[in-house]
Amino acid sequence: MLGQVIELIEKHDRFAITSHIRPDGDSLGSSLALCWILKGLGKNAEVIMRDEVPHAYTRLPGSLDVRVVEDIDREYDAVFVIECSDVTRPGIPSLADQFVVNIDHHSTTALFGNLNWIDATAAAVGEMIYNLAKAIGSRVTPEIAGCVYAALLTDTGSFHFSNTTERTFKIASELVRNGAQPAKLSQAIFYNYPFAKIQLVGSVLSTLQRDESGRIAWIRMTREAMELSGASEEDSDNIINYPLTIGDVEAVAFFREQSNSTYRISLRSKNRVNVARVAEEFGGGGHTNAAGFTIQADFDQLSLDVIKKLREAVESAPQSNGREIKPR
Ligand code: 5GP
Ligand code: MN
């Protein structure tokens, strides 16, 4: 609950903020914004992550101060865990021994924190952090505004997804008034790719296939394709959106080969096709329209299994007139 979070912040001094491995725009934007808020209140605060800040987010205010850690190595009064389904998602082993504040907008999140503040109506955790800033009486600085804007921008798919509401634009408007620079942030996040990424996009898109109905499409990235392009795993993020731009396509799978015959699978869908259910059948999870899982399997069999489940999901989806594409 927000009230308890505020009370905790007011009573204590030393805080860390962390989020899931391979952080994204919402997890980083929200973490950095919260860090700025805490520092603005005169607290000791830092963002700690298991993984480095992805290139796309290195221009967010404060991102250079994110400390990459293997485990908790300092004393904190509490650790904020941003948008994680469980306490292991940050990849920080002794996190469970800390006083944990779980902040998330996924309705499926385990209540693993000592405090849990969950708001499934928030478009992004960034929106919750913005509400916290206002509730605790922080001045919304350009740094806070920019970080929250980045969280909203990325988790709404640049305001394309169905979590984009009047409230989203109202908050975005307030953020711009407080110093967030939309064009500059979009440029930093979406027009700042390394050359190798676009080469990788070309190579991965050349693997595009669809089923006979044309409603399901899939793409694959091998280790070889990654190595040939010189791209990183992060550079393959978002490639899944291209097949989803095909008008007839309702569900997409992206098979990313990791080391030792493990595949990381991303699933995306439109409307009411529930890919979270599909991911859960393979041990993962997510939202209705964006989900994923990691599995050790032979590609040929795995792809058959996943496509079969996607077909069931597409065929059993309730009809919907609007195009609803939900965020991460
Ligand atoms: P992505 O395809 O971008 O890796 O993940 C999309 C969404 O699926 C994430 O925001 C998260 O909600 C969910 N997701 C992806 N991989 C996993 C996983 O291994 N476990 C769980 N519980 N959720 C996942
Ligand atoms: Mn999010």
Side-chain angles (χ1 to χ4, degrees):
M1 293 263 303
L2 176 56
Q4 292 171 304
V5 175
I6 290 175
E7 197 178 320
L8 174 98
I9 293 172
E10 285 172 345
K11 281 194 178 146
H12 294 91
D13 180 54
R14 298 168 302 175
F15 300 102
I17 303 142
T18 191
S19 187
H20 51 80
I21 51 166
R22 295 188 302 269
D24 59 24
D26 188 24
S27 56
L28 267 167
S30 298
S31 298
L32 293 169
L34 179 54
C35 194
W36 285 112
I37 291 168
L38 294 169
K39 284 182 172 168
L41 294 167
K43 309 286 176 178
N44 284 306
E46 63 170 346
V47 177
I48 56 172
M49 298 268 183
R50 223 283 307 275
D51 287 340
E52 300 224 353
V53 174
H55 179 73
Y57 305 114
T58 48
R59 295 186 184 175
L60 290 184
S63 66
L64 297 179
D65 297 326
V66 171
R67 202 160 63 83
V68 175
V69 300
E70 302 219 324
D71 205 348
I72 298 287
D73 55 5
R74 290 182 187 166
E75 290 274 321
Y76 304 111
D77 299 323
V79 181
F80 294 91
V81 179
I82 304 292
E83 66 156 19
C84 287
S85 51
D86 61 77
V87 80
T88 66
R89 281 277 281 166
I92 296 176
S94 56
L95 185 60
D97 305 333
Q98 300 289 308
F99 188 94
V100 165
V101 184
N102 167 18
I103 303 182
D104 196 7
H105 68 137
H106 292 77
S107 57
T108 51
T109 287
L111 301 181
F112 60 85
N114 298 87
L115 285 183
N116 298 280
W117 177 31
I118 315 295
D119 180 359
T121 73
V125 175
E127 183 176 325
M128 300 171 69
I129 300 300
Y130 180 66
N131 291 336
L132 168 66
K134 293 209 292 191
I136 207 166
S138 291
R139 187 173 74 85
V140 179
T141 61
E143 287 81 14
I144 295 172
C147 291
V148 171
Y149 185 92
L152 276 184
L153 180 71
T154 53
D155 251 28
T156 58
S158 302
F159 308 109
H160 292 188
F161 299 159
S162 62
N163 59 338
T164 309
T165 63
E166 184 195 352
R167 202 166 80 199
T168 320
F169 289 112
K170 181 170 181 291
I171 294 173
S173 154
E174 292 175 16
L175 295 170
V176 173
R177 193 187 324 134
N178 285 296
Q181 297 179 280
K184 203 172 159 198
L185 288 161
S186 293
Q187 184 110 16
I189 297 168
F190 301 118
Y191 295 83
N192 186 27
Y193 296 150
F195 183 76
K197 171 170 172 126
I198 300 307
Q199 285 197 306
L200 181 69
V201 171
S203 126
V204 169
L205 285 185
S206 72
T207 70
L208 176 65
Q209 288 188 267
R210 58 180 172 163
D211 75 341
E212 53 283 7
S213 75
R215 297 163 81 186
I216 294 158
W218 61 97
I219 49 178
R220 177 187 185 184
M221 184 180 81
T222 58
R223 298 299 302 171
E224 196 189 1
M226 239 179 86
E227 279 152 23
L228 276 176
S229 64
S232 66
E233 170 100 14
E234 172 202 338
D235 291 328
S236 63
D237 287 345
N238 300 328
I239 301 182
I240 192 168
N241 293 332
Y242 288 99
L244 206 62
T245 63
I246 301 167
D248 291 333
V249 166
E250 293 177 55
V252 180
F254 183 14
F255 299 88
R256 277 183 267 192
E257 189 182 14
Q258 317 282 289
S259 45
N260 58 35
S261 71
T262 298
Y263 276 85
R264 176 178 161 212
I265 291 87
S266 290
L267 305 174
R268 297 290 186 276
S269 65
K270 289 174 184 157
N271 306 322
R272 297 171 73 183
V273 175
N274 192 337
V275 289
R277 292 281 163 275
V278 176
E280 279 164 15
E281 294 202 46
F282 294 92
H287 298 277
T288 305
N289 297 120
F293 61 96
T294 296
I295 196 167
Q296 198 166 9
D298 164 66
F299 176 76
D300 293 332
Q301 189 58 48
L302 174 66
S303 59
L304 285 175
D305 293 345
V306 172
I307 292 155
K308 180 164 171 277
K309 293 289 178 195
L310 284 180
R311 191 169 296 129
E312 288 168 14
V314 165
E315 284 166 1
S316 66
Q319 292 303 306
S320 157
N321 297 324
R323 281 245 184 275
E324 290 185 20
I325 311 175
K326 260 240 167 159
R328 302 185 233 197

